[in-house]
Amino acid sequence: MGKRKLVVIGNGMAGARAVEEVLARGGADMFDITMFGDERYGNYNRILLSNVLNGSQDPAEIVMNPLDWYAENGITLHSGAPVTDIDRAAKTVRSSAGVHVHYDYLLIATGSRAFIPPVEGMTGPDGKLRNGVFAFRTLDDCDGIIAHAKKSTQAAVIGGGLLGLEAARGLINHGCAVHVIHIGNHLMEQQLDGPAGAMLRASMEAMGVTVHLKKATTAVTHDGEKITGLAFKDGTTLDCDMVVVSAGIRPNAEIGLRAGLTVERAIVVDDKMRSVDDSTVYVVGECAQHRGRVYGLVAPLWDQAKVFAENITGRNRDAAYHGSKLATKLKVMGVEVAAMGITEPVEERDEVVQFTEPKRGTYKKLIVRDGRLVGGILMGDISKAAYLMQAFDRDTPLPEERLSLLFDIGAPAEKVTLDEMPDEAQVCNCNGVTKGAIGACVAGGMKSALAVMKATRGGMGCGSCKGLINELVEFYAGGEVEEDPSIHYYVPGVPLPTDELIDAIKINGLKSVSSVFKVLAGGKEDPGSKPGLAVLLSMIWKSEYEDERDAKFINDRMHGNIQKDGTFSVIPEMPGGVCTPDELKRIADVAVKYNVPLVKLTGGQRIDLVGVPRDDLPGVWRDLGMPAGHAWGKSYRTCKSCIGTDYCRFGLGDSMALATKIENRFRGIDSPGKLKLATAGCPRNCSEAYVKDIGAVAIGDGKWEIYIGGAAGAHIRKGDLLCVVGSHDEALSVMGRFIQYYRETAKWKERTYAYVERVGMAKLKSIVVDDSDGIGARLDRSLQESIDAYVDPWLERDAPATSHQFSSLIPVP
Amino acid sequence: MDGITSNLPDTALVTAELAWIEVGRVSDIPPAGARVVQSPHGDIAIFRTAEDEVFAIRNRCPHLGGPLSEGIVHGARVTCPLHNWVIDLASGGATGPDTGCTGTFPVQVEDGSIRLGLRLPVSAV
Ligand SMILES: Cc1cc2nc3c(=O)[nH]c(=O)nc-3n(C[C@H](O)[C@H](O)[C@H](O)COP(=O)(O)OP(=O)(O)OC[C@H]3O[C@@H](n4cnc5c(N)ncnc54)[C@H](O)[C@@H]3O)c2cc1C
């Protein structure tokens, strides 16, 4: 029998999952599968958009079904255009891009869109959201919000539900002041009651989000171009330059309506997830209405997808969906919350068990009916969530001792609980992974939590179950758990830790990145590992290193930092933040001559010429006549300093002179991570030496404290005191030895703050200061060789490393 | 530089005649590298892989418009220098989050010289 045609409208979480379930049941042999997606992407994990917005994940990381997946499974994907019509009589669908296909079976999985309340000014004359007003539903929404937030000073989020709060949290990370406008009496009314909502509000405000309750927005004010603020029903207003609307969702059910299917709040389906009007049309996800309910969370759609797949593949034509009980675990602004069922007692027999400890932000409330859990809120401490959610889901009778519902009193040993947990218990709610699935993976030979997570996607959603997955892997694997070995490698693509990799490179005489892959990684090239290897090889072989420019990140080829428009930033060296009036003039002349769009002081006390096109780089460097400031790569970057003893009333040591010596000695030395240094003339620390990779702080009598492992970027850490030295020369020597040891033992991209914690200060002191291993002289020598081999990369202006290094364009006749 | 990149409606471009334009020699492009041709379709990156295969794609990452010509080339793919999206040179599709919108252009290589197939709007030919 020939294959039947399965067409799927909607390439989101439900659509893609349903297809995966079909494939898992041998569906590839039964169906030709065609998918339509309005969004321009393969299916991604929508839940993780919150992480993309707050900057903790890249869009690429949240992809669940990359293009390859569709190709590998023989699925035809038409993305980037919606399906506009279904012709049920002819059994065809048509997209706005004109694609017209026949189906034997149709699956509608169009999800929902953000609900935009009909508020004056929200949309422009074209009916689209006004510039500066955003929904928060798709990757494109996220991109728009992020781009706008960068310029924004004050943002308003309309809607204080889960998504609105996620949006607020994301916006905070982009540096604007954030206001949440909520029409209800307390935050997250779907999941929380009044007291819990009030506690959440306090936590949010402590983190800098202003919450306005009982506020109905009546207008978005604007000057025709930009948003200027919001107006409310009570007559008050709020100034803001961007608005994120998070006022609920609406199912994308119109397509069903136009096709003549029964649509109430969403497309109505039976227990097989089939439209009640047409036995060849199935519906799953947020656009489906089952037994009167429409869901807005992912857990139900995993079950729906399974039921659909069982039926359509004929595996089990009796498979039926009976509805889901919604329980959620989430983290809002760092506060852990678990919520299930009703939030307030509704019947007289409902019994409430409650505990509050506002000081610690802990709140627990359970609603028990006839000895069974019908509602619950846990905030702050959600250690009992797994147990309670299961009791809620299965309607199991609760113990008479209600206190034990809230707390582990005389808790049974952990093994017993894991043991007792049934195989079908859901461990990861985001991706619908059961305990049994994890067990099966381990039985199939996966012995590390990371491998299991990759295989099942468990733990890849909100991440709150990672701990439990770790425990389960341990539980199943017994003593045989393995941690993911690649965390110990210098780069993930070559299975050796840094020191062993250096030895192997030397023994085998490997002088190019490609030869390292050939000999040490079984010939498998990992693009992400190339730049790290290039740095390591140049450290080992210096001028003998065979430079393969294609292994280098563009910044290391152009000796500048690439900007988002493809131009570069040019930062000349300025040791100690000092330059001569002549140099300053030249910088100004260059900026004028080359029309440099932005001249800006950097955080490292230098001057940045931003926006120089690649083809102008050699001329700019030549006219500046100053050496490269190395502000682009993984290398020694800069050494900030305060004014030191010459002029400062408080100065105890000549920090400017020390900074200059540091820069002259270590300039351009490449290393596994950036090295940002500072010298401070006294412990007032004006130059922030305590939070630098390496910092020197003068304490009087010619003495300097040397700190290492400080950081004040995305990660903040005060450095640890390595030692106290008595002179500039001693400072240079101990710093140099540390730098070389770091170069030889750190992993690629491992900044000193992580490195110092991993290796431990005791070991670093003994090696760097006390030379306990007797390798001090060797380290010093190796570093000296790198210093001697240093050549200012900007000299490539007169001798380009490749013929077209600075001419990106091919002239076309 | 932006002068000739036009925003002609797509239909105009699609219906126009396919013209083959000489854009230099393979040796003008570094191995596992790229150079850029300006065209009425915007900047087009001509890639040469380590195996000397030649591809032409729009020089804009579908993600946030990063200059793909500046990325690291591996096999027949390039990693965008801005946010590490990986684009397949043959299809123009991202192997990370997809978009079908990084256009690809036909290329012919003969005796080491590269010809790029462009549908030039009548007025621009
Ligand atoms: C920021 C955010 C955070 C979230 N966090 C959580 C969470 O922590 N926990 C949780 O359980 N849930 C969460 N959710 C909800 C969860 O993402 C949804 O429940 C889930 O994505 C629903 O899946 P779906 O496939 O029904 O819809 P979607 O994932 O929206 O997929 C539908 C797809 O169909 C496409 N489409 C629509 N119409 C057409 C058409 N006519 N033709 C072609 N394609 C079409 C859409 O563009 C979309 O890509 C969150 C949602 C958001 C936005």
Side-chain angles (χ1 to χ4, degrees):
Chain A
M1 196 180 81
K3 289 196 202 177
R4 331 265 0 234
K5 276 216 72 133
L6 170 62
V7 171
V8 182
I9 308 178
N11 181 29
M13 300 194 73
R17 179 63 165 241
V19 169
E20 285 182 349
E21 294 285 1
V22 169
L23 294 175
R25 289 165 179 74
D29 297 328
M30 297 178 231
F31 300 103
D32 270 329
I33 304 176
T34 301
M35 299 185 76
F36 287 88
D38 191 7
E39 292 186 77
R40 301 175 291 141
Y41 312 98
N43 173 44
Y44 57 87
N45 192 339
R46 199 170 304 283
I47 294 179
L48 297 183
L49 286 181
S50 314
N51 287 354
V52 173
L53 185 61
N54 71 34
S56 63
Q57 281 195 300
D58 267 354
E61 287 175 65
I62 71 166
V63 175
M64 300 210 283
N65 302 86
L67 264 208
D68 286 357
W69 178 84
Y70 297 87
E72 277 159 22
N73 289 291
I75 297 164
T76 311
L77 172 66
H78 299 286
S79 64
V83 166
T84 44
D85 297 292
I86 302 171
D87 181 340
R88 288 204 288 123
K91 286 190 175 269
T92 58
V93 303
R94 185 190 294 277
S95 79
S96 71
V99 182
H100 190 205
V101 297
H102 165 78
Y103 68 83
D104 293 307
Y105 292 102
L106 184 65
L107 176 66
I108 304 178
T110 47
S112 321
R113 60 179 177 274
F115 168 62
I116 307 296
V119 163
E120 189 193 322
M122 192 83 92
T123 50
D126 57 356
K128 297 206 178 107
L129 288 181
R130 195 173 280 286
N131 176 25
V133 181
F134 299 90
F136 181 29
R137 176 79 194 177
T138 65
L139 211 41
D140 288 350
D141 291 340
C142 254
D143 279 347
I145 296 174
I146 292 170
H148 205 90
K150 294 212 165 86
K151 308 173 279 184
S152 162
T153 49
Q154 179 134 302
V157 176
I158 300 182
L162 169 58
L163 276 189
L165 300 190
E166 292 280 1
R169 178 184 90 171
L171 285 169
I172 280 250
N173 282 10
H174 294 285
C176 35
V178 181
H179 293 255
V180 170
I181 318 297
H182 190 51
I183 196 164
N185 294 327
H186 64 81
L187 295 173
M188 278 177 61
E189 276 154 323
Q190 299 249 3
Q191 293 89 2
L192 303 182
D193 63 356
M199 278 166 67
L200 184 61
R201 174 188 189 171
S203 309
M204 306 237 349
E205 299 216 307
M207 283 181 242
V209 173
T210 315
V211 177
H212 308 260
L213 296 174
K214 297 182 227 171
K215 279 243 180 249
T217 309
T218 49
V220 175
T221 52
H222 54 85
D223 60 11
E225 225 168 79
K226 292 189 300 290
I227 301 298
T228 53
L230 294 178
F232 307 109
K233 201 168 171 190
D234 60 11
T236 56
T237 58
L238 174 77
D239 287 343
C240 63
D241 49 25
M242 77 181 285
V243 176
V244 175
V245 188
S246 185
I249 54 175
R250 287 290 174 272
N252 289 319
E254 293 77 1
I255 188 152
L257 198 64
R258 281 201 303 276
L261 301 173
T262 305
V263 174
E264 290 169 8
R265 283 192 299 143
I267 307 173
V268 180
V269 296
D270 63 15
D271 284 359
K272 294 186 190 305
M273 300 313 295
R274 246 174 6 195
S275 147
V276 291
D277 310 284
D278 187 332
S279 63
T280 60
V281 178
Y282 288 78
V283 188
V284 293
E286 291 185 348
C287 57
Q289 173 178 329
H290 174 262
R291 297 191 189 173
R293 294 189 67 183
V294 179
Y295 298 95
L297 290 171
V298 292
L301 59 90
W302 305 145
D303 291 336
Q304 296 178 355
K306 274 198 192 111
V307 169
F308 158 74
E310 291 279 314
N311 274 292
I312 199 162
T313 59
R315 258 297 179 90
N316 173 11
R317 294 208 196 274
D318 296 326
Y321 176 64
H322 302 292
S324 300
K325 291 176 100 176
L326 286 191
T328 35
K329 242 193 327 189
L330 38 111
K331 213 173 179 178
V332 210
M333 306 279 294
V335 184
E336 289 200 287
V337 177
M340 60 210 94
I342 53 179
T343 57
E344 296 290 351
V346 277
E347 294 181 26
E348 212 162 304
R349 59 193 165 133
D350 289 353
E351 164 196 349
V352 177
V353 185
Q354 206 163 359
F355 170 82
T356 332
E357 194 182 355
K359 231 174 140 182
R360 297 170 56 119
T362 309
Y363 181 76
K364 304 184 182 195
K365 169 172 164 182
L366 302 178
I367 303 167
V368 180
R369 183 180 300 163
D370 303 332
R372 289 176 163 72
L373 192 60
V374 290
I377 299 168
L378 301 177
M379 208 161 112
D381 166 18
I382 63 163
S383 53
K384 294 294 281 180
Y387 165 75
L388 290 170
M389 282 163 78
Q390 205 181 312
F392 168 75
D393 191 46
R394 286 151 190 264
D395 230 7
T396 38
L398 300 174
E400 280 305 312
E401 168 76 358
R402 300 286 196 244
L403 194 60
S404 67
L405 293 173
L406 297 182
F407 304 98
D408 280 324
I409 303 160
E414 190 141 38
K415 274 264 145 47
V416 186
T417 27
L418 289 183
D419 222 5
E420 280 173 358
M421 204 170 158
D423 269 358
E424 49 308 343
Q426 192 116 314
V427 175
C428 171
N429 288 321
C430 298
N431 285 318
V433 180
T434 60
K435 178 193 172 198
I438 292 169
C441 270
V442 177
M446 292 181 193
K447 299 275 153 59
S448 81
L450 194 78
V452 170
M453 289 194 243
K454 274 198 181 140
T456 59
R457 296 215 185 104
M460 312 285 242
C462 69
S464 65
C465 63
K466 274 189 184 156
L468 183 55
I469 294 184
N470 272 315
E471 283 169 27
L472 279 169
V473 171
E474 232 165 82
F475 166 77
Y476 281 116
E480 297 168 51
V481 228
E482 293 157 8
E483 55 182 0
D484 173 30
S486 76
I487 61 168
H488 299 296
Y489 303 159
Y490 171 68
V491 283
V494 184
L496 289 170
T498 314
D499 48 348
E500 290 175 32
L501 177 60
I502 293 177
D503 287 345
I505 287 173
K506 286 186 182 159
I507 292 167
N508 292 294
L510 308 175
K511 298 191 174 164
S512 68
V513 170
S514 54
S515 67
V516 173
F517 284 122
K518 223 169 274 157
V519 178
L520 301 176
K524 197 163 171 278
E525 296 211 353
D526 171 35
S529 299
K530 284 183 177 181
L533 290 174
V535 164
L536 195 69
L537 288 167
S538 96
M539 174 185 92
I540 298 173
W541 300 112
K542 283 121 205 156
S543 52
E544 278 174 65
Y545 156 60
E546 288 166 21
D547 193 0
E548 293 164 324
R549 295 233 146 193
D550 59 289
K552 287 188 168 177
F553 185 54
I554 184 70
N555 288 358
D556 296 317
R557 283 180 274 152
M558 290 304 130
H559 316 304
N561 207 339
I562 192 163
Q563 307 295 308
K564 71 181 194 190
D565 62 353
T567 61
F568 293 84
S569 86
V570 173
I571 302 180
E573 190 178 272
M574 212 170 265
V578 178
C579 72
T580 65
D582 253 357
E583 287 167 336
L584 205 52
K585 270 193 201 155
R586 285 208 300 276
I587 292 174
D589 289 342
V590 165
V592 171
K593 174 170 169 190
Y594 292 91
N595 269 322
V596 173
L598 179 71
V599 182
K600 162 116 180 61
L601 292 182
T602 71
Q605 298 186 338
R606 295 165 323 161
I607 295 177
D608 191 352
L609 301 171
V610 190
V612 178
R614 171 174 168 163
D615 301 60
D616 282 346
L617 288 173
V620 167
W621 297 339
R622 201 174 295 123
D623 292 353
L624 282 173
M626 297 165 77
H630 288 275
W632 61 85
K634 305 277 177 267
S635 69
Y636 167 88
R637 287 291 190 87
T638 162
C639 184
K640 285 172 73 163
S641 85
C642 61
I643 201 147
T645 38
D646 284 358
Y647 294 90
C648 178
R649 289 181 290 138
F650 302 109
L652 299 171
D654 190 349
S655 53
M656 234 161 32
L658 179 56
T660 307
K661 288 180 196 164
I662 287 173
E663 184 125 334
N664 288 335
R665 184 160 174 73
F666 301 128
R667 67 159 63 94
I669 294 298
D670 42 25
S671 61
K674 295 183 256 204
L675 288 170
K676 296 186 171 178
L677 280 66
T679 59
C682 77
R684 282 177 187 77
N685 190 32
C686 295
S687 53
E688 298 155 359
Y690 290 130
V691 288
K692 291 293 172 192
D693 292 289
I694 304 176
V697 180
I699 51 172
D701 301 331
K703 290 205 174 75
W704 296 84
E705 286 178 338
I706 308 296
Y707 289 85
I708 57 174
H715 186 94
I716 297 182
R717 181 179 193 273
K718 184 176 173 188
D720 290 307
L721 182 62
L722 179 66
C723 59
V724 177
V725 296
S727 68
H728 283 183
D729 285 348
E730 260 184 76
L732 288 171
S733 127
V734 75
M735 286 177 178
R737 197 175 281 185
F738 168 69
I739 290 176
Q740 185 61 21
Y741 190 62
Y742 169 68
R743 293 173 86 199
E744 294 185 11
T745 53
K747 295 179 279 184
W748 174 242
K749 288 191 184 168
E750 182 180 36
R751 288 291 295 271
T752 60
Y753 64 79
Y755 170 81
V756 161
E757 289 189 358
R758 176 171 65 86
V759 178
M761 278 309 287
K763 174 149 187 207
L764 288 171
K765 276 186 194 167
S766 83
I767 286 184
V768 174
V769 184
D770 307 331
D771 195 13
S772 57
D773 283 11
I775 57 170
R778 214 250 322 128
L779 291 172
D780 297 348
R781 222 172 27 248
S782 295
L783 181 70
Q784 189 60 48
E785 285 169 14
S786 288
I787 291 171
D788 294 341
Y790 173 78
V791 182
D792 177 7
W794 285 2
L795 295 178
E796 286 175 11
R797 63 196 177 217
D798 299 318
T802 53
S803 49
H804 303 294
Q805 185 177 7
F806 304 110
S807 52
S808 53
L809 291 177
I810 304 184
V812 178
Chain B
M1 171 163 173
D2 289 326
I4 50 167
T5 62
S6 78
N7 291 320
L8 288 164
D10 280 349
T11 46
L13 298 179
V14 171
T15 51
E17 283 287 300
L18 186 69
W20 291 97
I21 297 170
E22 293 270 350
V23 291
R25 306 191 57 77
V26 177
S27 55
D28 290 337
I29 304 174
R35 292 184 71 201
V36 176
V37 172
Q38 294 178 326
S39 87
H41 300 259
D43 286 359
I44 298 173
I46 314 282
F47 281 88
R48 170 178 172 191
T49 69
E51 277 77 44
D52 284 343
E53 272 190 287
V54 176
F55 296 98
I57 72 177
R58 213 160 117 76
N59 194 25
R60 272 180 66 80
C61 180
H63 175 215
L64 291 174
L68 295 172
S69 58
E70 310 286 27
I72 291 184
V73 179
H74 40 98
R77 293 174 172 193
V78 61
T79 298
C80 176
L82 295 194
H83 309 94
N84 295 327
W85 276 37
V86 178
I87 310 296
D88 182 70
L89 294 175
S91 68
T95 55
D98 164 48
T99 115
C101 84
T102 300
T104 60
F105 300 86
V107 275
Q108 295 178 339
V109 178
E110 244 182 67
D111 297 334
S113 80
I114 306 171
R115 293 197 300 158
L116 176 62
L118 286 182
R119 291 190 185 277
L120 293 179
V122 181
S123 59
V125 179

